[in-house]
Amino acid sequence: MALEDRNRVVILEDRVENISGADFPMGFDGEDVPFHLEDFRDGLDIKIIRVTPTDIEFDLIGVDASIANALRRILIAEIPTMAIEKVYMINNTGIMQDEVLAHRLGLIPILADPNEFQWKRPGDPPTDQNTIVFKLDVACKRIPNVPETETDPKKKYENSSIYSSHILWDPKGDQETRFAHSPVRPIHDDILITKLRPGQIISCELHCEKGVGKDHAKFSPVATASYRLLPDIQILDDITGEDAEFFCSCFPPGVVSVVEENGVRKAKIVNPRKDTVSREVLRHKQFDGKVRLTRVRDHFIFNVESTGTISPEALVSQALDILIEKCDISKGALEKAVKGNEEEE
């Protein structure tokens, strides 16, 4: 099998062919393909496509799906953040039960650098080095002199809706000095927590601790972390005239363009990464044998959206550091096992 064909997952009308089925990464059944570290280094590449304050899109090229998936799982579950772990309910006369309210509070992203805090182990007392304290004290009251015909609760009542902006940081120890440049707070001020009516109050103390997503989803620093294979669309025979226009309509906008060459309008692939691989084009007989849909097996398009606690580029950097650390641990364990076997012999 040619290298280009080995490196393509083929999309057919009713099935997917040439999927990975070897016993080891980047291998192919029935073929002896030795691994060379130099070749791997030459083929490995990371291209940053787009970066915003909350999102990053990048291409990871030249690795097996197992490596890409390991990076995705680390982004979701193994990068530490700070989140509300304990809720000490002093008084809650609102309609929302204590445990539901505590769960909603725990899911609010907190702006705090986890590197500035220690891990709080079971049995450890809370200190200014391992815990952040917030207060939530709100009471709903009627606003005086509001017409009886008014129906909008926000105009009739004070604190009718409780938002994350009502959560106030209560610095302990030297935290106020340590975080003077970036006070600890919820990432967003407009997250609705619950609603109250006159006479109802909520009073509680919230303790944030350091954790990772594999312990609880509230510690995950990403809203989404996903990847897909780069689409590769090959036009095997010229598609012209009205067929070219119809061919273009079978793909998302921007994937195919109709250009004029020598007075003939012809379909041309311009940006295959925008394709969703819907296989719509394979439903139409006039395109039989004229188009081949594939995906590049070792080209992964990553999309990572941060919750705001850590910048997206820092998330990717930290995930790669954790992956390297895992490789070092595995390498050390393997070397130890090999050395032990040699000594036994």
Side-chain angles (χ1 to χ4, degrees):
M1 186 186 297
L3 176 61
E4 184 176 349
D5 290 336
R6 283 202 309 245
N7 207 31
R8 294 293 186 274
V9 176
V10 182
I11 313 297
L12 300 177
E13 184 177 359
D14 57 351
R15 65 190 184 279
V16 179
E17 286 190 345
N18 202 28
I19 59 175
S20 178
D23 294 330
F24 59 92
M26 304 304 292
F28 302 91
D29 289 335
E31 296 188 36
D32 183 16
V33 185
F35 175 81
H36 297 290
L37 183 58
E38 293 76 14
D39 294 340
F40 175 76
R41 285 174 175 168
D42 292 341
L44 178 62
D45 195 11
I46 297 179
K47 295 181 179 179
I48 307 299
I49 306 300
R50 175 178 54 87
V51 180
T52 71
T54 58
D55 300 78
I56 184 171
E57 179 182 342
F58 66 94
D59 290 4
L60 180 60
I61 305 168
V63 301
D64 185 72
S66 57
I67 302 298
N69 196 49
L71 182 62
R72 181 190 68 86
R73 290 173 66 93
I74 290 171
L75 283 164
I76 293 172
E78 297 193 44
I79 297 177
T81 64
M82 303 296 292
I84 296 172
E85 176 70 6
K86 300 275 196 311
V87 176
Y88 298 95
M89 200 68 66
I90 300 168
N91 196 3
N92 174 23
T93 59
I95 192 172
M96 186 173 290
Q97 301 96 327
D98 291 355
E99 58 271 25
V100 178
L101 181 59
H103 182 263
R104 291 178 64 83
L105 289 167
L107 293 174
I108 296 174
I110 302 298
L111 180 62
D113 185 358
N115 295 322
E116 295 290 333
F117 293 89
Q118 300 172 357
W119 294 92
K120 186 173 181 291
R121 307 299 179 184
D124 288 350
T127 69
D128 60 328
Q129 299 298 317
N130 62 23
T131 303
I132 301 171
V133 177
F134 287 101
K135 301 281 190 180
L136 178 60
D137 289 296
V138 288
C140 183
K141 301 177 183 178
R142 292 184 182 274
I143 300 176
N145 303 321
V146 176
E148 293 184 1
T149 55
E150 180 60 62
T151 58
D152 186 353
K154 293 183 179 180
K155 296 179 180 178
K156 291 176 64 177
Y157 313 128
E158 179 183 345
N159 294 331
S160 62
S161 295
I162 309 305
Y163 294 95
S164 50
S165 58
H166 288 92
I167 299 175
L168 303 179
W169 178 37
D170 184 16
K172 302 297 181 182
D174 65 346
Q175 288 182 351
E176 191 167 11
T177 303
R178 284 163 55 199
F179 301 104
H181 62 288
S182 179
V184 178
R185 59 178 178 83
I187 293 289
H188 306 287
D189 292 333
D190 57 351
I191 299 176
L192 180 64
I193 300 173
T194 187
K195 293 188 176 184
L196 299 178
R197 287 299 178 262
Q200 295 178 343
I201 66 172
I202 294 176
S203 178
C204 57
E205 182 171 296
L206 320 173
H207 286 199
C208 290
E209 298 177 7
K210 189 174 180 177
V212 291
K214 63 183 178 182
D215 293 331
H216 195 288
K218 66 186 176 185
F219 291 110
S220 180
V222 297
T224 58
S226 62
Y227 64 78
R228 60 190 178 96
L229 293 177
L230 175 70
D232 180 27
I233 306 167
Q234 303 164 8
I235 296 179
L236 307 177
D237 194 6
D238 287 348
I239 301 173
T240 60
E242 293 184 359
D243 281 351
E245 299 288 350
F246 184 57
F247 182 82
C248 183
S249 69
C250 292
F251 295 89
V255 176
V256 180
S257 178
V258 179
V259 299
E260 189 167 330
E261 295 182 359
N262 300 323
V264 179
R265 294 180 61 77
K266 182 185 299 185
K268 182 179 180 181
I269 307 300
V270 291
N271 193 353
R273 73 182 293 120
K274 289 185 175 181
D275 186 35
T276 58
V277 195
S278 66
R279 298 193 263 199
E280 171 66 21
V281 69
L282 300 179
R283 298 177 59 242
H284 306 288
K285 298 299 182 183
Q286 62 265 46
F287 302 129
D288 283 353
K290 293 186 175 183
V291 62
R292 184 173 185 246
L293 302 183
T294 68
R295 289 196 176 199
V296 183
R297 187 192 301 276
D298 64 348
H299 190 136
F300 300 89
I301 300 174
F302 267 84
N303 283 277
V304 180
E305 179 185 355
S306 169
T307 60
T309 56
I310 304 173
S311 66
E313 57 268 34
L315 282 175
V316 176
S317 178
Q318 291 182 34
L320 290 171
D321 288 341
I322 293 172
L323 181 58
I324 291 170
E325 182 183 358
K326 287 176 176 289
C327 291
D328 289 339
I329 293 172
S330 298
K331 181 181 177 181
L334 182 60
E335 290 175 347
K336 185 178 180 180
V338 171
K339 185 178 179 180
N341 291 335
E342 291 175 349
E343 291 176 352
E344 289 179 2
E345 292 176 358

